[in-house]
Amino acid sequence: MDSEGKLINKGEEEEMEIYGYDLCRWKLALVAGGALCTGGLLLLLLYWMPEWRVKATCSRAPLPGCQVVLLRTTDEFHTWFCAKVRIVLSLGCRPLQTPASVAEAVANGVTDRLCPEASDEEDGRNRGSRGHLQEIRHFTHHSVKYFWDKEAQNFGSIKGLDESVPCASVHREHSAGLTKGIRDYRRLFYGVNEIAVKVPSVFKLLIKEVLNPFYVFQLFSVILWSTDEYYYYALAIVVMSLVSVASSLYTIRKQYTMLHDMVAAHSLMRVSVSTVDQGIEEILSVDLVPGDVLVIPSNGMVMPCDAVLVSGTCIVNESMLTGESVPVTKTNLPSPSEDPSALEAEAYSPEAHKRHTLFCGTTVIQTRFYTAELVKAVVVRTGFSTSKGQLVRSILYPKPTDFKLYRDAYLFLLFLVGVAGVGFLYTVVNSILHQVPAKIIIIESLDIITITVPPALPAAMTAGIVYAQRRLKKVGIFCISPQRINICGQLNLVCFDKTGTLTEDGLDLWGIQRVENARFLLPEGNACSRPLVKSPFIACMAACHSLTKIEGVISGDPLDLKMFEATGWILEEATEEETALHNRIMPTVVRPPKQLLPEPPPAANEDLELFELPATYEIGIVRQFPFSSALQRMCVVARALGQKKMDAYVKGAPEVVAGLCKPETVPVDFERVLEEYTKQGLRVIAVAHRRLESRLTWHRVQNVGREAIEANMGFLGLIIMQNKLKRETPAVLEDLHRANIRTVMVTGDNLLTAVSVARDCGMIQPPDKVIVAEALAPKDGQPARINWHYADMLSKSPDPSPAIHPEEIPIKLAPEDLEDLPATKYHFAMNGKSFAVIQEHFPDLIPKLVLHGTVFARMAPDQKTQLVEALQSVDYYVGMCGDGANDCGALKRAHGGISLSELEASVASPFTSRTSSISCVPNLIREGRAALITSFCVFKFMALYSIIQYVSVTLLYSMLSNLGDLQFLFIDLAIILVVVFTMSLNPAWKELVAQRPPAGLISGPLLGSVLSQILICLGFQTLGFLWVRQQPWYEPWTPHSDACGSPRGPGDANASAHGNGTLHDEHNIRNYENTTLFFISSFQYLTVAVAFSKGKPFRQPCHKNYPFVLSVLVLYAVILFIMLHPVGAIDWALELVCVPFQWRVAVLAIVLLNGVVSILVENVLLDTVLWKVLFRRDKRGDFRLPSSSSSSRPPPQDALDRGQRCRPPALPCFRKEPPKAKYVHLAQELLVDPDWPPKPSTTTEAKGPAHENGSCPIVTIT
């Protein structure tokens, strides 16, 4: 395995192969010699290629003793990196295990120099004197340290307390704090606690930018042109390059500065830590290591690390990481010794225990504690290992952008290099045969390379993206990754978050439906009324929440806030002094306003029940169990003023809360009522209540587990919230459907609610079938299985009926209808639990499900990312639109992620919209398509510019002539640069169309366009070159030639050339062939620019690009003037010769014919035949069929189902070509699969042992 390389980060996103190497002196000597012989070019090549650099200077070595490691990512990019292995001396090799020598040194009071670092030059004698020290080998890659593990015989990154550490151990072993010696020992492994984003110096950035291959090629071109005295264009390229480099440096440095400022808030501060030997002491935050016990001040702080609370409670703003600026309550991690519900062996995980974890970069607003107890948190991760550090790493070291356009661009450049090589050989051979001096041979043969591969190509390609970025900014969309704009032009599927994205942010209370005696009462619209004020239902609404007051304003979850406001109650919190002095004080009290309280009846006894409270009715919240997305509920323990017994209130997902209640308290029609609400798109929350036993005192309640509290509850009823669609949502989704762009909903809400919203907004059309996939994990010896239900078949009977089990759903479709299911559009819907089970036990079904999956509910943040990856794995170009809350991972992973939040969490999203509606999505796709087509146009134009000039120069080289310097300058500056920077200004087309632009340059329409124009231009230049030699007045031009037949006066070229005859004789610029080719080629540049500047359906028409039209007309007029009305001074400057007027007219006829042929071939022949035929095939391949009208259009997935039947008979050869996209190939397979889609009320089970890839054989049971 070692010879093949081992894997580090196995199974993770950053999995890499690792190979060991040692420096080789004789190889270093050879490289040094090669660098001298090549003038440093070899060093440049090795700088660009890390793999070659290591293999050229090192020899293979085993990993345990290697000096250099070579790394290669295992993803599709196979990127190479190299790193130097360093050695440190340590008393131990396990950071979380205290070596005996460290313990002894600490016991003796010696804590200095426990962990010295060994330099590479340290001699063996000095090391021998430290025999008790161990050599620890490590290297750093992308800000992560990898240490050598002797047991695993491999390098690996070390973990903090966030992996394989039991919760009990966090309390027993790590809550006491560290000594200074142990802290110093651990710092050797974990390093300083900082997210170091160093802003590179301008000089360093300049060197890195200038060493880009394109800039090196430009430098080579400039030097070559300068030796050929072609100073003007060389100066223009230098100016363009300087502007480009300056702009790039400014942008890069600005991004580094923004990122540096983002992490600077917590990079260096003084913090208080609790130590074993010295109590509370202050240290710098950079000195924190995992295991330190951080004391959180009462006025809050910005967290400098990830830490788990072990005592006290914190109110935290996590907008930095989640994008949601809602204060979150963090409670201490349950201790098995105090909380019986806490599992002894349960491992701590920041993700699983996020309600107890304070994340780096988040702001602790305030803390709560009792009887002067300090709020403490154990540090679990530091530096780049923290959640924020990982976010910053993803920004500092992004994955390469994989887009076919860029791959094809490099292939096309290689093709041009090949063409240049042919021209190079032709020039050398031709010049040698004509005995041309060696200096001229070298200059002209190298010059043919700079002509064929245009140095201005990068600037030209960037222009369209810059213009698109400027147009996006005008509509409120900001971009931090401009290259993604082109990729957005290919999007064919967009995932949407629901709440805050498709629907309004806030929830409105639609009504409540209480339960009495296990029967639903009529719905009530107003919860703030005097008859209800003392009911347990309203008490639950007022007390079961995590709201808090921050600077006098009630803050918290929007749903909690809306529910509490609906009651009209008042919330009061105790002050810090009260909580510090008293033990039993209620931290939070809620009470109704006095006007809602009825007149107090005379009390018969002192033991008042809940419904017989005095006018001073108050409820104190004794303990909170915060909302858990895993449990889908929250719970509070409260006590009413004057009561001896406490009450428990629970609210959460209806199905979960009903399961916690005594069956006799749940109405028999519970599921039917719940379904009716969810089908209307309403969000339903259930509430329950329980009177606790009198033995549960305040102290016992603080230590009891929530499972003991949340049992035998009494069902109180339902709270119905309304989440309205945003006004723009239906229209935007209709536009996307009309453009054959699939839409998918990814939400954390209830499944049926999500399906209802999907129908309301048009994501699912009324006649479409919705198939719910309910996956169950293996349990009690039963294999994993998927139950398939058709959502529209659920019982709609208004009569109360027993709870409906999914397996008992009746089949309402006739058998013949079932046979026609493949011709009917269907959608899959599932929740996060089912998605996780299917991923683990049915991975082969994931591609089939995502092909028609439309609603994914109850999805966790990492599952959203996994869904995006699953869609990308079947070759979809995926867009993601979210409001920033829990969508960061998916926004980063999608091809085009657009955040509707301007919070700092969106710094990782390629696009951020200032408007909080999804109307930005069509705008982004339209601009992406326009930018992509512009890139194609510019690339084709620059390719034709190179080939046209290449043909002109090659024809002239055959007679030892060339274009003149000012001719080159006129073409390159006046024509090419003006045209290329104005032809990119076409705005995007006003609406999305069903077609998508090609993804790459290597496609039939584009190659046909380029090759046809090359042949046309070659043909007409050759025609002019040969035809001029057939003219009766033609003779090899000399300074005394006079083809015009009349003297031209003092300004004529002959007289002007008198003093420069030697120069002209040397370069042979002035001749009839040169003049003819100059005029023909100048018009050809403009002709292909007009031919390639296409508008509809992706860009506005060419004639609406006024700068381009004006520049082309002016250039046409100037060239026509020079050709038809010769002026001596201009002819002399451009080194043109006088030709008869009849020949000028003949050249004009050639130019006009050339223009007509080019335009007809490009816009008629290619567009009507090749382009449309290929687009029809592309639409068959992508299953996007044109519709006769918007009302009868087939939806995108309907086209999937009917694609085979709608194939045109034309060009049968295209039918045999397999589709390129995986999802197309999969759709074609499913069309002929009789068992797909699954039929109603069937079950798919996993049978037999798992395969190597983790999947299991499956069997469908009816």
Side-chain angles (χ1 to χ4, degrees), residues 871-944:
L871 290 164
Q872 290 173 334
S873 69
V874 291
D875 293 344
Y876 274 113
Y877 283 94
V878 182
M880 174 70 195
C881 183
D883 60 355
N886 303 324
D887 298 320
C888 293
L891 288 168
K892 286 188 297 181
R893 187 54 53 86
H895 291 107
I898 182 164
S899 170
L900 304 186
S901 165
E902 292 188 70
L903 296 171
E904 288 175 297
S906 300
V907 72
S909 179
F911 302 94
T912 301
S913 173
R914 184 168 284 175
T915 58
S916 59
S917 74
I918 64 171
S919 58
C920 58
V921 175
N923 290 335
L924 178 60
I925 297 176
R926 287 190 305 105
E927 289 296 347
R929 290 180 172 185
L932 185 57
I933 289 298
T934 297
S935 296
F936 289 143
C937 292
V938 169
F939 202 96
K940 291 196 300 180
F941 174 72
M942 294 301 287
L944 260 296

Side-chain angles (χ1 to χ4, degrees), residues 1076-1202:
T1076 301
L1077 290 182
F1078 172 75
F1079 286 133
I1080 293 176
S1081 64
S1082 296
F1083 280 108
Q1084 283 181 339
Y1085 298 125
L1086 298 178
T1087 299
V1088 294
V1090 172
F1092 288 157
S1093 293
K1094 295 181 179 177
K1096 192 176 177 180
F1098 306 115
R1099 302 195 304 169
Q1100 293 284 356
C1102 173
H1103 63 265
K1104 290 193 175 182
N1105 183 353
Y1106 302 117
F1108 174 71
V1109 172
L1110 181 62
S1111 60
V1112 168
L1113 290 177
V1114 169
L1115 286 170
Y1116 266 125
V1118 169
I1119 300 171
L1120 277 174
F1121 176 78
I1122 295 173
M1123 186 175 74
L1124 298 179
H1125 188 77
V1127 176
I1130 296 177
D1131 284 359
W1132 175 82
L1134 292 175
E1135 299 182 74
L1136 302 174
V1137 298
C1138 183
V1139 293
F1141 185 78
Q1142 293 83 354
W1143 180 243
R1144 298 177 190 272
V1145 174
V1147 170
L1148 179 61
I1150 293 174
V1151 166
L1152 291 175
L1153 184 60
N1154 184 356
V1156 170
V1157 172
S1158 293
I1159 300 295
L1160 285 177
V1161 168
E1162 180 69 21
N1163 294 315
V1164 178
L1165 180 64
L1166 290 176
D1167 277 0
T1168 57
V1169 180
L1170 185 61
W1171 181 273
K1172 287 192 176 181
V1173 165
L1174 287 178
F1175 246 133
R1176 289 179 74 181
R1177 180 174 66 90
D1178 182 53
K1179 283 184 284 186
R1180 289 199 313 276
D1182 284 354
F1183 292 96
R1184 293 188 300 275
L1185 304 176
S1187 57
S1188 57
S1189 66
S1190 58
S1191 59
S1192 60
R1193 61 169 180 81
Q1197 290 175 330
D1198 191 28
L1200 274 170
D1201 297 317
R1202 299 192 304 178

Side-chain angles (χ1 to χ4, degrees), residues 66-68 83-89 117-120 127 135-140 145-148 155:
C66 65
Q67 296 174 312
V68 177
K84 184 179 180 182
V85 177
R86 302 186 181 276
I87 299 174
V88 294
L89 298 178
E117 183 165 350
S119 64
D120 293 335
R127 292 187 183 183
E135 282 191 353
I136 306 295
R137 307 171 61 80
H138 73 91
F139 68 90
T140 303
K145 280 186 178 181
Y146 295 86
F147 286 82
W148 177 253
F155 285 94

